[in-house]
């Protein structure tokens, strides 16, 4: 069963009139987006159109110039640092480059966010939590490996495991299949669907890989010139005769 | 580009960079001493920066002590003042040569390593990943490294002083015979608190500068892997330059305070 069907109207992320500029370059110019619980929304756009900027604004790696961002009912732009850190624990972020810490082993990479967010007076079985997270991405037994020993696909999986270890309610994927061969890319797409189903996450997936869009999207938002240009299911958009949309499918 | 623009642009860049470095230093004092403290990372960095620099500092200090003693010998021989050799060499080693050379060696080894490590973390989004995992990357990466270099450099200088003085002992014995007891008596009869203290105080500032500049260049890296190389290089050049300025200021202040 499609997980989004159960909670179709429960809004998890709501973005209104988001604006972000870099000098004279207006990357986001009044962007709007609503993501419902259990839904995978793909933001589709050409390189340099502000897709990554959008999700970096959601976790406040970048501060927008105007607009509002609500995640799980909390206005992200009003949070103090400590509140922001607590909110960030509920949001998993997979970076384009996976961003694994080179100086740490896989085990230490997964433990790093855990140690920041676990309550001090509760005893946790950290080793088991790491094992479980690695099992959920199909990479059990890699604890002692360093990021340099991992393939591109494995790095992405470990990156996903590192975010899953905190049981996030929201996942943000920044071009998850970029730089991977088609087979590994497909595996990552399946993994994202498994994460959606198993962890009941709501996700924004940034991509221009049409296989990824086709496999993972419950809904697609096309971002052109910093605004929502079109929105719909993959099949809806595929049928469109608009040349700006057709260019992604041709 | 006119000649005026050609001259004014580097000057403008210099002042902008100096301003940014000052802001970075202020941020270190504002954030570095507020909880939560990153003790584990501070210890790890102190081990990396301090303990792992011992072989290089030892070797350099030993050669310095030996060479300066050998080269000072003929000049003192002319005046029949060879017996002054341990005293004169020890004062110049402890006051000036060991702190400055150790700082320059560390600017090359530690400054470039900090610049390259933080720089590569910046361009591969590892710093962003740290931030979204709820860790303050400035405290975790910058504060720990700046504190480690500030603590470890004076210790390395004290260790380097001892090795350099031993090198001096071997240098004295190349052209004559002096017992170790006599040598140490001559050295410590001449060395005073006013020689050692300013040297340690300025080493603390050297360490701070090396850590701060390395971290600053790494943290502000841009333009991908090419930028990482530039940051590592700039960390060495700028911190070495500031080490000399601090040394000059320290000499003037010591003189004014009559510590010399």
């Amino acid at each position: 069963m499609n997980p989004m069907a159960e909670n179709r109207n429960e809004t998890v992320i709501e973005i209104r009139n988001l604006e972000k500029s870099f000098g004279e370059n207006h990357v986001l110019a009044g962007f709007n987006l609503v993501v419902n619980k259990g839904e995978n929304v793909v933001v589709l756009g050409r390189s340099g159109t502000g897709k990554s900027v959008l999700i970096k604004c959601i976790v406040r790696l970048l501060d927008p110039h105007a607009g509002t961002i609500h995640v799980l009912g909390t206005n992200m732009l009003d949070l103090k640092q400590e509140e922001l850190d607590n909110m960030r624990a509920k949001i998993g972020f997979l970076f384009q480059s996976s961003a694994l810490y080179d100086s740490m082993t896989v085990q230490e990479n997964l433990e790093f966010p855990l140690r920041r967010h676990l309550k001090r007076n509760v005893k946790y079985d950290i080793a088991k939590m790491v094992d479980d997270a690695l099992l959920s991405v199909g990479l059990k037994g890699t604890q002692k490996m360093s990021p340099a020993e991992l393939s591109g696909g494995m790095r992405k999986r470990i990156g996903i495991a590192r975010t899953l270890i905190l049981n996030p309610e929201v996942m943000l994927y920044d071009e998850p299949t970029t730089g991977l061969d088609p087979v590994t890319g497909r595996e990552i797409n399946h993994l994202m669907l498994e994460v959606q189903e198993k962890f009941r996450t709501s996700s924004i997936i940034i991509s221009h890989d049409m296989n990824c869009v086709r496999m993972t999207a419950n809904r697609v938002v096309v971002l052109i010139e910093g605004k929502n240009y079109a929105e719909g299911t993959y099949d809806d958009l595929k049928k469109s005769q608009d040349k700006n949309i057709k260019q992604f499918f041709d | 580009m006119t000649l005026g623009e050609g001259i004014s642009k580097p000057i403008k860049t210099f002042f902008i960079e100096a301003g940014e470095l000052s802001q970075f230093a202020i941020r270190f004092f504002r954030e570095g001493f507020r909880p939560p403290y990153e003790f584990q990372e501070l210890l790890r960095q102190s081990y990396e920066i301090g303990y792992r620099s011992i072989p290089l500092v030892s070797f350099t200090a030993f050669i310095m002590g030996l060479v300066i003693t050998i080269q000072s010998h003929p000049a003192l021989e002319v005046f029949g003042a060879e017996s002054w050799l341990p005293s004169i060499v020890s004062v110049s080693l402890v006051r000036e040569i060991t702190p400055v050379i150790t700082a320059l060696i560390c600017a090359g080894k530690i400054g470039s390593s900090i610049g390259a490590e933080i720089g590569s973390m910046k361009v591969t989004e590892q710093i962003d990943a740290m931030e979204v995992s709820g860790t303050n990357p400035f405290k975790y990466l910058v504060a720990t490294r700046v504190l480690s270099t500030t603590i470890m450099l004076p210790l390395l200088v004290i260790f380097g002083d001892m090795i350099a003085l031993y090198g001096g002992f071997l240098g004295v014995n190349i052209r004559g015979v002096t017992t170790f007891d006599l040598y140490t008596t001559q050295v410590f009869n001449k060395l005073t608190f006013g020689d050692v203290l300013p040297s340690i105080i300025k080493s603390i500032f050297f360490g701070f500068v090396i850590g701060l500049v390395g971290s600053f260049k790494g943290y502000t890296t841009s333009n991908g892997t090419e930028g990482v190389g530039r940051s590592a290089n700039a960390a060495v050049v700028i911190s070495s330059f500031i080490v000399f300025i601090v040394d000059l200021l320290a000499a003037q202040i010591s003189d004014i305070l009559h510590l010399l």
Side-chain angles (χ1 to χ4, degrees):
Chain A
M1 182 182 170
N2 184 345
M4 73 165 284
E6 296 172 36
N7 311 288
R8 192 172 294 276
N9 295 319
E10 198 177 326
T11 301
V12 173
I13 301 173
E14 186 176 3
I15 296 168
R16 295 279 170 224
N17 299 316
L18 198 67
E19 292 181 21
K20 176 71 185 171
S21 306
F22 296 96
E24 295 297 304
N25 184 14
H26 303 293
V27 177
L28 296 172
F31 183 79
N32 296 290
L33 180 68
V34 171
V35 180
N36 295 317
K37 192 166 175 63
E39 189 181 24
N40 274 354
V41 174
V42 171
V43 177
L44 178 65
R46 294 178 62 180
S47 297
T49 50
K51 305 187 297 298
S52 299
V53 171
L54 167 69
I55 55 171
K56 284 184 177 173
C57 285
I58 294 174
V59 289
R60 294 272 305 278
L61 280 175
L62 294 171
D63 283 324
H65 293 121
T68 59
I69 300 170
H70 285 84
V71 178
L72 301 164
T74 305
N75 185 351
M76 294 297 288
L77 305 181
D78 277 351
L79 298 177
K80 291 181 182 145
Q81 191 59 50
E82 200 179 332
E83 297 165 330
L84 180 62
D85 288 342
N86 290 333
M87 268 309 287
R88 282 169 168 169
K90 297 175 184 173
I91 305 172
F93 196 119
L94 178 69
F95 287 85
Q96 192 176 342
S97 59
S98 305
L100 301 182
Y101 308 125
D102 290 330
S103 58
M104 300 181 195
T105 61
V106 168
Q107 172 92 20
E108 289 163 340
N109 261 281
L110 268 69
E111 282 178 3
F112 191 84
L114 268 184
R115 296 200 184 279
R116 311 278 141 182
H117 290 286
L118 296 184
K119 288 174 187 140
R120 285 184 188 277
N121 48 359
V122 182
K123 206 170 178 183
Y124 295 92
D125 188 349
I126 289 179
K128 187 177 180 311
M129 292 168 88
V130 171
D131 281 352
D132 289 346
L134 288 174
L135 186 65
S136 63
V137 296
L139 284 177
K140 203 172 181 214
T142 52
Q143 283 89 333
K144 288 184 180 166
M145 292 175 86
S146 75
E149 296 174 271
L150 304 171
S151 68
M154 289 167 89
R155 291 172 74 95
K156 294 272 183 190
R157 283 170 181 270
I158 300 292
I160 293 173
R162 190 174 63 182
T163 64
L164 291 180
I165 206 160
L166 290 173
N167 286 321
E169 293 176 54
V170 175
M171 285 294 291
L172 306 175
Y173 298 96
D174 190 2
E175 306 202 7
T177 55
T178 298
L180 301 178
D181 63 81
V183 178
T184 312
R186 246 192 327 270
E187 286 172 4
I188 297 296
N189 293 336
H190 281 298
L191 182 59
M192 287 191 286
L193 290 173
E194 277 173 35
V195 167
Q196 180 194 21
E197 197 164 331
K198 191 174 167 188
F199 294 87
R200 291 280 188 263
T201 54
S202 316
S203 312
I204 296 179
I205 301 164
I206 302 299
S207 188
H208 44 59
D209 169 6
M210 296 314 289
N211 278 329
C212 172
V213 179
R214 181 176 51 80
M215 286 178 71
T216 59
N218 298 121
R219 191 155 49 90
V220 181
V221 174
V222 181
L223 174 63
I224 294 178
E225 292 178 354
K227 291 185 176 142
N228 313 55
Y229 186 81
E231 194 169 328
T233 63
Y234 177 87
D235 292 329
D236 290 342
L237 294 177
K238 196 176 180 186
K239 288 173 200 155
S240 172
Q241 293 304 308
D242 187 310
K243 67 174 170 51
N244 286 327
I245 298 172
K246 273 185 81 173
Q247 65 182 345
F248 291 107
F249 294 86
D250 289 340
Chain B
M1 188 191 286
T2 64
L3 183 62
E5 282 171 340
I7 295 168
S8 69
K9 201 179 168 195
I11 294 171
K12 200 175 159 186
T13 310
F14 170 80
F15 281 110
I16 289 171
E17 189 128 325
E20 286 173 350
L21 183 60
S22 309
Q23 283 181 333
F24 198 77
I26 291 166
R27 190 176 170 193
F28 165 76
F29 286 112
R30 218 175 42 215
E31 292 187 23
F33 299 99
R34 268 207 316 240
Y37 302 110
E38 304 284 356
F39 283 120
Q40 212 178 340
E41 181 63 7
L42 179 67
L43 280 176
R44 197 178 76 85
Q45 287 304 324
S46 299
Y47 173 80
E48 290 289 331
I49 288 165
Y51 183 73
R52 286 186 184 265
S53 300
I54 286 177
L56 185 62
V57 168
S58 306
F59 179 74
T60 320
F62 178 76
I63 298 291
M64 275 186 313
L66 188 65
V67 168
I68 284 168
T69 309
I70 292 169
Q71 290 195 338
S72 304
H73 193 273
L76 291 174
E77 204 174 24
V78 174
F79 301 102
E82 291 149 284
S83 61
W84 282 66
L85 193 56
S87 322
I88 290 171
V89 166
S90 63
V91 169
S92 41
L93 282 172
V94 170
R95 269 188 193 175
E96 185 62 31
I97 297 167
T98 312
V100 172
I101 298 292
T102 305
L104 293 176
I105 293 285
C106 289
K109 183 185 179 289
I110 301 166
S112 63
S113 144
I114 292 175
E117 189 186 6
I118 298 182
S120 79
M121 289 184 79
K122 171 92 175 171
V123 300
T124 54
E125 298 180 305
Q126 290 176 52
I127 291 180
D128 285 346
M130 216 168 253
E131 202 167 342
V132 293
S133 75
T135 302
N136 180 340
F138 191 90
K139 285 172 83 80
Y140 188 83
L141 296 172
V142 175
T144 53
R145 280 161 176 79
V146 177
L147 274 174
S148 294
T149 52
T150 309
I151 295 165
M152 296 318 291
L153 206 88
L155 298 178
L156 286 171
V157 166
I158 292 168
F159 184 76
D161 281 339
M162 290 189 291
I163 299 286
L165 289 175
Y166 185 70
F169 168 68
L170 293 183
V172 168
N173 274 289
I174 285 176
R175 296 221 189 151
V177 179
T178 305
T179 64
F180 190 67
D181 280 349
L182 179 61
Y183 176 77
T184 47
T185 305
Q186 284 180 314
V187 166
F188 289 107
N189 276 346
K190 185 65 190 166
L191 274 180
T192 63
F193 187 64
D195 295 316
V196 179
L197 187 67
S199 147
I200 293 173
I201 292 174
K202 72 181 174 187
S203 305
I204 294 172
F205 285 97
F206 291 163
F208 175 75
V209 164
I210 292 165
L212 188 81
V213 173
S215 302
F216 170 71
K217 293 312 293 181
Y219 214 73
T220 52
T221 299
S222 55
N223 297 336
T225 47
E226 192 192 342
V228 175
R230 269 208 298 267
S231 291
N233 183 270
V236 178
V237 174
I238 296 171
S239 54
S240 303
F241 177 70
I242 299 178
V243 160
F244 282 117
I245 293 176
V246 170
D247 190 42
L248 179 67
L249 290 173
Q252 294 299 315
I253 291 167
S254 302
D255 196 30
I256 292 165
L257 296 175
H258 302 291
L259 284 169
L260 281 169

